Structure formats: C-alpha cells, structure tokens
Amino acid sequence: MAAPDPGRWGECGPRPPGRLGARGGQEPGTVLGAVGMMDLAYVCEWEKWAKSTYCPSLPLACAWSCRNLIAFTTDLRNDDQDLTHMIHILDTEHPWEVHSVSSGHSEAITCLEWDQSGSRLLSADADGQIKCWSMADHLANSWESSVGSQVEGDPIVALSWLHNGVKLALHVEKSGASSFGEKFSRVKFSPSLTLFGGKPMEGWIAVTVSGLVTVSLLKPSGQVLTSTESLCRLRGRVALADIAFTGGGNIVVAAADGSSASPVKFYKVCVSVVSEKCRIDTEILPSLFMRCTTDPNRKDRFPAITHLKFLARDMSEQVLLCASSQTSSLVECWSLRKEGLPVNNIFQQISPVVGDKQPMILKWRILSATNDLDRVSAVALPKLPISLTNTDLKVASDTQFYPGLGLALAFQDGSVHMVHRLSLQTMAVFYSSAPRSLDEPALKRPRTTGPAVHFKAMQLSWTSLALVGIDNHGKLSMLRISPSLGHALEPKLALQHLLFLLEYCMVTGYDWWDILLHVQPGMVQSLVERLHEEYTRQKPALQQVLSTRILAMKASLCKLSPCTMARVCDYHTKLFLMAITSTLKSLLRPHFLNTPDKSPGDRLAEICAKITDVDIDKVMINLKTEEFVLDMNTLQALQQLLQWVGDFVLYLLVSLPNQGAEHSSGLPDSASHGPVLKSHVSPDFTKGSALRPGHSFLRDGASLGMLRELMVVIRIWGLLKPSCLPVYTATSDTQDSMSLLFRLLTKLWICCRDEGPASEPDEGLVDECCLLPSQLLVPSLDWLPASDGLVSRLQPKQPLRLRFGRAPTLPSSTSILQLDGLTRAPGQPKIDHLRRLHLGAYPTEECKACTRCGCVTMLKSPNKTTAVKQWEQRWIKNCLCGGLWRRVPLSCS
C-alpha cells in the first residue's frame, strides 16, 4: 500500500546564497519549510526475504539515462553469505517494476554508464571486466549483454562511452527568443573517432587502478576492437579518475592516487585506427595540487581525495575535487586557463613580442572553495549543457539561478546541498531528518545507535529537476528540485523555466518525466498554450519533424489536470490518425515510373482539398485509381485499421449535436501540428462543463481533411476487396453508409477548412447528425489506454512509500474524470491499441505496454503480410507517444 510517509524524510528548505557553512552547512538563519526548493517525491525499498536479502554494494554505482531509466547496483546475500552482484534497471514512472539481472561480474561493480541514446548501459567491475547491456526485443524491463572487454585483474575506476560529436548548447539568456535555433544551437564538436565518411565510431574508454587506459571500439560487423596503453611511462596507482572530451576529438583523463599530498594529474588521450588496429597515444597535461594542502592550517586535516569529477563530460577545463578526513570534507573547483608567459626584458630587446605572438601556457586556477564541511558521501553533477555569455564568478554570484548550474553534495549527516557548480554557493538544502533547533541544547539530542541514513550514490536527471539517491540501507529516494534553485520565483517566471526545458526536450528527444514532477494542475492550461505558441513560430520543416512529439508532450501535460482529460484522448487519437494516414499513403505507388514529382499521396490530398463535392464517388473519379491497386491479402490485413477510421468518423458525427453547444464555452482549438496538419488557433480549455472526447476534432479542418482523404481511399479499396470495408450495422439494407458519412463529414469540413475562425455547422447538418444513431449502430471506442504511472498521482509534500517488486495501490488521480467511453469497465474486453484487435477480457498472448501513456499491444505479430509488418515496424522501439515499451504480465494486459 502506497501512502504518504510523514517520517524522517521530507524536511527541506531554502538557504540564502552564500558559501557552504562549517560542518554540515547549517548557517544561522536557515529557514526550513518556507519555500519547497527540494522535496521528496517517493521512496522505494526492498522487501525483506527469509533466505536472501539485498544490501548496498561497495562501492555503490548509479546512472540516470536521458530516457529516465535508472540503473543501480546492489549485492544479493544468501544464507551462506555468498554475494551475487546485481544490476537493477527501473523506469522512474514505475519504480516498483524494477528489472533485476545477475550481472555475471565476479567482483564488485565499480562503474555504470548510459550511452547518449539511453538505450545501452556499460558496467565495469573490480576485476577489469566491462559489459555492454542492451534491451532485449526493445523492452525496458528486459536486458541482455552480448559484447564486452576485459583488462584481467585490474579494477576499473573510470568508464565512459566515446563521444559521438553531438552537442547542443542551451542559451539561457535567449530563452525569450522565438526560434528554437536561437535558444538551442549545435556546438561544433568532433567525435572521439570517426569511420569512413565522418560517421562517429561507437565504443568506450576505461581507466584502471594500475594506470592503464583501455579503449574498445564496436565495429559495424559487431566485433569489438580493444587496445590498452599506459597513461604515462611511469605507471602509478590510480585510486580516482574521471574522463572528459574536448571539441577537437581528444579525450582528457584526470587521475589521482587518493592522497591529497600528491598531485592530481591530467592526460590527453588520442584514439585512432591504423591498419585495422586501435592505437592509443597519450600526452601529459598540467597537473595541480589541492589548495588545502598548501594551507599550513589545513595541510594534514584532509589526507585523502575522495571525489574527482569533471563538471561535465564535454567540459575538460573545469574539475571538482573533494578532500576528506574521517569526519569532514572540503570541496574545491578548478579551471584550466590559457595564460601569457612573461618574457624577460633581455629577450624582449632581442625579439620583441607583438600582439598574439606572446607564448601561452595552460595553467590550473582555483575558482572557489568551501569551508570545512561534514564528510561528503556522494556527488551528483548536472547534465544540462547550459551556455552563458559569461560564466565567471560574476554570473555565479548573480541572484538568478537556472537549472543545470547546480550540483548536488550529499553528506553523512543525511543532508543534501544544491550548490552552484562554479562558486559553490549554497542554493537549497534537503534534510533527510529534521535537524535540531538552533537553540536546542546539544545534551538533549537523542543518541543514534548507528550512522545517519545518507546517500552513497546520487544522480541528477538530464534537466536537473530531479535527483535520485541510493542510501546506505539500499533505499532509493526520488527528490524534486525546484527550477528556481533556491529563489522563490513568480509563477510567470517559474512557468518560463519549465517551458524552456520542455522545448529543450522536444528538440533533443529526451524524456520529460522529471519536468512533469513540477507541473501543478493550475499550470497545465498556460503551459500547453505557450508551448503551442512557441511551436507555431518555428519553420514549417521543423514543425513537421516535431509534430508528433508536441502532441505527446501536450497529452502528458493534460493528464495532470482534471479539466483536460478529454484533451488527452484527443491528442492520442491525433497521433494514431497521423500514423495511419502516413502509412496508408505510403502504400500507394505511381502506375508509371516516369510520373510527375508529386506522389499519389500528395495528389490525393490536393484533389480532396480542391473538390468540395459531398458525393464520394464524384471525388473518387478524379483520381487515378490504378495507383490505389494493392494485393488482396494486404487489403484484408488492413481491415482493422480501416474499421477504426470508419468508427471514428461515425463517432465524431454523432457527437456533433452533443458538443455543439460547448464550442462557445472555451477558446478555439488547435488540432494540427506541422505542415501536414496546418494550425491557426490556440488550444481549447473550457471554464465550464467538461468536454467529451473528440471535441477538438470538430473544429480541426486539417484532421477532418485527413479523415476525408482516408474515406476516399477506403472507398476505392472497397471496390477491389469489399471485405476490407468498415462494417456498419444499419437499420436499412439499402443504405450506403460510406456515402452518408462522407457527405456529413464533408459538410463539417467545409465549415472549418479555411484559415481563420471556423463557422458554426448549419442546423441541417446538426439535424442529420441527430438522426445517425437511428440509422447506424454507434460502436464504443476505447479512447484512453489505462496508465498506472506515478506522476499524475504525486502530491507536493506527500511522498509515497513504495516497495520494489510489489505493485502499489496508488491514491486515485485527481485528473481522472468519468467521461463516457473514457474508462474501461471491469471485465470489459481489452484491445490492442496499435493493431485495433480485440484481445478479450483475459488475454492469452504476451503483451507490452508503453511506460508513459499505457498503450498496450501484443509482443508478437499475428499477421505476416508486408503492409502490416510495415505498420508494426514503426512501433518496434517506441510507442506512438515516444515512450519505451515494457513487458506486462498477462493479467495486466
């Protein structure tokens, strides 16, 4: 049972900007609970088993992908105290459905690393073994390892995928610009290694304890090409290391032996392929000593370097260092800069240095450092590639903070601090347990029987709006991080932050689940309207590329408000309609090869838009019917999709009289996205009664035009294969149902086909639609897939307590409305949402479901025809909405 957990978790509060305070960062004047800058969303923990138990692995590794999949490690201990090193992968929307796999690693797992697509995972252990994991059958809860590499007996301390050369910069100062090209720009960045033609070569790089660097390349044939080289001639112990990339295609490795008295060394690594063999060249770069070792008062207080991290994978010029003792830590931020080398006056007289001819050297300079802190247990760095016009300390001390400029530090006292990544100023603090009052005597503090619960591993999401932590008891905690990062923002500015990040996810294709954590029901209307406005300002070509992604994004936003659930149905239906239209048009082939430039699909759209006749046969005779000839088996295999088109047209026309009065209660609707679906109005949100599903289509000329084109295509195919036509139950045997529906659909389309405000349907059309239920049996439509996710059920300040492996009984979502045809009654037959096949009340076929919208489809195809395979291949990796697939039990299908 999932219920709010009012226990030790969830105390949080903002802090005034300033340096981290001494020992835990609790400065006088810290106010707890004034503004929720960091708060707990949910906690997920393991069941206690009789004969085996999960325990935190040492070291504990954690990684967060751009698809919002989280991977982390534990050890499974049995009665004989034998350990099995496990890797757990979960989707943040369904954390209890964790997929646990025995890694096959003989020693403790030291590193986990996702690739930039979020679909493959690297794991490395203390025996030098590296494995590459990928989805089996493209399922997020089914993983397998087929390739890997090994440096036998040499523990891996750092691991990374090679850079693919794709880097997108966010220009925060241009967040108000109209063009996505101004807000997000492609940065010139070379891949670590390229194939013939400039295509980036895939592979990974790792650093071992003995000072070796190993590179493995994945050849297109599937083979792995591995090479190993020493970082330098004099090899030494490497206790800590990290890897970053430069814009020129080189790799930078930072390494330390673990002692703060020793220098932190940096190496440039160049990878190339010579004669089908991988070649590694290394070069020593300037090193540095931590500032605390040069301070006489602190020289021996922090003997060990415990954390070494580049601030970003593609930012090799800035590094974060943490030195610690048994009870305390100190954090420093360093930057590598080019500086002019002074030239002696004697040499100046011999050869004067003019302009840019002055010799330059690379030198590490400290940017900032903290005071003494409690011992740091984990560090999480931002993945958001923020680009500012000025990233020096002036910006760092500004009163305005943006997501992606903060990093997280976890301490052994259980607190988590969000600090600026350059100045290390504190922006927000989260306490795992309520700290004592400042005026409470220390003698009254209850004694603890063991160390405080604290995070051993942390990761920030790809938009820096959420943080996941694994504590020393093996529990997983999900925290929200406010977009303002420590400052109370006006609602308008907070909305602008969320909108900017939603646009970033739309452009990159990253999952936006962590953004939804911060969207309140009252923000949905404004967010969808603003998102639509920004989308319509883009170039037509870009609109076409993003047309499906913005629909999926709007649908996920509308799920969060009880007033917009009907819109969720419409957005999912539009996604399905667009997919069917493009697939069916792609089946059309020109009769002769030397035809004009326009394809049969383009000519179909042009003729249907030009001819406004309500008679379907008169429209049909203007087309070259020979271009519509398909194989009989293909037509029969498409019958279920054609049936859905016919049923949907009937539903829309029948619902016109019921929803006609509701048009005036809201704003005009936007139904279309991109050049294929031209748009001229803004989304519809009513202030009065709830709308019924399908409402937005009644004023959407582009979608009605698509339905009209499909009706013409179906009519032609029906002449070739009558059994492929949609089946209607009519009261009259002589009634031509297709002609009747096309006539009414054309009248409705004429009302809203032109740019500008749509005209009201005439009374004659409404009267004819009122008579439809007496002429044709109206089938029930399965509108909305059932989703059992968390995000629409999470409440601020009310964290959920969940258990791995046990499906919770979640609190009912406030956004679910009991609309006709929206919810499925218990025992009602279930449906394959992609193939439109009925599965029965208790399906016997294995199914998969979308991790986001809940769309269900069979895992294996029951049909072998080429056209159906073409349709199913579109959704082999992702759902209509772009979500990943997960295998579901038969009882849940």
Side-chain angles (χ1 to χ4, degrees), residues 46-294:
W46 296 101
E47 294 275 8
K48 296 186 180 298
W49 302 98
K51 295 186 178 181
S52 62
T53 181
Y54 287 105
C55 56
S57 59
L58 295 174
L60 198 154
C62 179
W64 193 327
S65 82
C66 63
R67 307 302 300 273
N68 281 321
L69 295 177
I70 294 175
F72 64 100
T73 60
T74 65
D75 292 334
L76 182 61
R77 179 182 287 119
N78 57 22
D79 281 346
D80 299 329
Q81 298 301 307
D82 294 331
L83 292 180
T84 303
H85 305 291
M86 308 291 293
I87 296 177
H88 309 283
I89 300 175
L90 59 85
D91 171 49
T92 52
E93 180 75 339
H94 306 86
W96 59 90
E97 291 186 2
V98 62
H99 176 69
S100 303
V101 57
S102 177
S103 65
H105 287 288
S106 58
E107 297 293 336
I109 300 171
T110 57
C111 303
L112 291 175
E113 190 74 22
W114 289 101
D115 71 346
Q116 289 191 321
S117 68
S119 58
R120 288 182 299 179
L121 177 71
L122 289 176
S123 63
D125 66 13
D127 191 39
Q129 186 179 23
I130 301 173
K131 290 189 173 186
C132 178
W133 301 85
S134 57
M135 296 184 194
D137 298 324
H138 306 287
L139 299 172
N141 56 357
S142 182
W143 294 80
E144 59 186 5
S145 174
S146 55
V147 295
S149 62
Q150 187 166 11
V151 184
E152 191 169 352
D154 206 351
I156 305 295
V157 294
L159 179 67
S160 174
W161 289 89
L162 297 179
H163 205 285
N164 62 3
V166 177
K167 182 180 178 182
L168 197 70
L170 281 78
H171 300 280
V172 176
E173 69 279 6
K174 297 181 180 179
S175 60
S178 59
S179 171
F180 287 169
E182 297 181 44
K183 300 178 185 180
F184 320 108
S185 64
R186 181 77 177 264
V187 179
K188 187 178 181 181
F189 209 91
S190 299
S192 303
L193 190 63
T194 56
L195 295 167
F196 179 77
K199 181 180 179 181
M201 193 169 190
E202 295 181 324
W204 56 82
I205 178 173
V207 180
T208 69
V209 164
S210 68
L212 294 177
V213 56
T214 177
V215 175
S216 297
L217 305 177
L218 297 176
K219 299 178 70 175
S221 61
Q223 296 178 337
V224 179
L225 194 63
T226 302
S227 180
T228 304
E229 189 62 62
S230 176
L231 280 172
C232 61
R233 291 183 179 181
L234 297 177
R235 289 172 58 187
R237 179 176 180 268
V238 177
L240 298 168
D242 199 19
I243 301 167
F245 303 91
T246 68
N250 296 322
I251 305 168
V252 177
V253 174
D257 62 6
S259 171
S260 61
S262 301
V264 179
K265 300 178 180 179
F266 296 85
Y267 306 90
K268 182 172 75 172
V269 179
C270 301
V271 183
S272 58
V273 176
V274 180
S275 301
E276 295 295 319
K277 292 184 179 180
C278 180
R279 176 178 172 179
I280 303 174
D281 297 305
T282 61
E283 178 185 337
I284 299 177
L285 296 176
S287 304
L288 66 87
F289 281 92
M290 289 193 67
R291 174 65 61 86
C292 62
T293 62
T294 62

Side-chain angles (χ1 to χ4, degrees), residues 6 74 113 303 348 393 407 451 496 506 540 651 686 703 771 814 833:
T74 65
E113 190 74 22
Q348 283 274 23
L393 291 180
L407 59 89
Q496 181 64 34
M506 191 192 308
Y651 174 88
T686 60
S703 292
L771 295 175
T814 57
H833 292 99

Side-chain angles (χ1 to χ4, degrees), residues 809-821:
T809 305
L810 295 171
S812 59
S813 170
T814 57
S815 60
I816 294 179
L817 293 177
Q818 300 299 320
L819 298 176
D820 294 339

Side-chain angles (χ1 to χ4, degrees), residues 121 154 211 291 296 406 448 478 580 620 623 648 705 804 806 837:
L121 177 71
D154 206 351
R291 174 65 61 86
T448 56
M478 180 64 66
I580 286 183
M620 187 177 63
L623 296 169
F648 183 59
F804 291 119
R806 181 194 295 182
L837 296 174

Side-chain angles (χ1 to χ4, degrees), residues 499-557:
L499 177 67
F500 184 61
L501 293 174
L502 282 171
E503 293 169 350
Y504 171 68
C505 290
M506 191 192 308
V507 171
T508 58
Y510 294 162
D511 188 73
W512 55 91
W513 178 89
D514 46 335
I515 303 176
L516 299 181
L517 286 176
H518 300 268
V519 179
Q520 301 301 318
M523 303 168 64
V524 171
Q525 174 178 345
S526 298
L527 265 180
V528 174
E529 288 178 343
R530 291 285 303 280
L531 194 64
H532 179 78
E533 290 173 5
E534 295 297 327
Y535 170 82
T536 54
R537 293 175 181 173
Q538 309 311 311
K539 296 179 180 179
L542 182 58
Q543 289 189 34
Q544 186 171 13
V545 172
L546 303 178
S547 59
T548 57
R549 199 168 294 161
I550 188 175
L551 281 172
M553 194 169 280
K554 287 182 177 182
S556 61
L557 287 169

Side-chain angles (χ1 to χ4, degrees), residues 80 110 350 357 415 481 550 600 715 792 839:
D80 299 329
T110 57
I350 299 174
K357 293 184 178 181
S415 65
I481 300 176
I550 188 175
R715 181 73 162 191
S792 61
L839 303 175

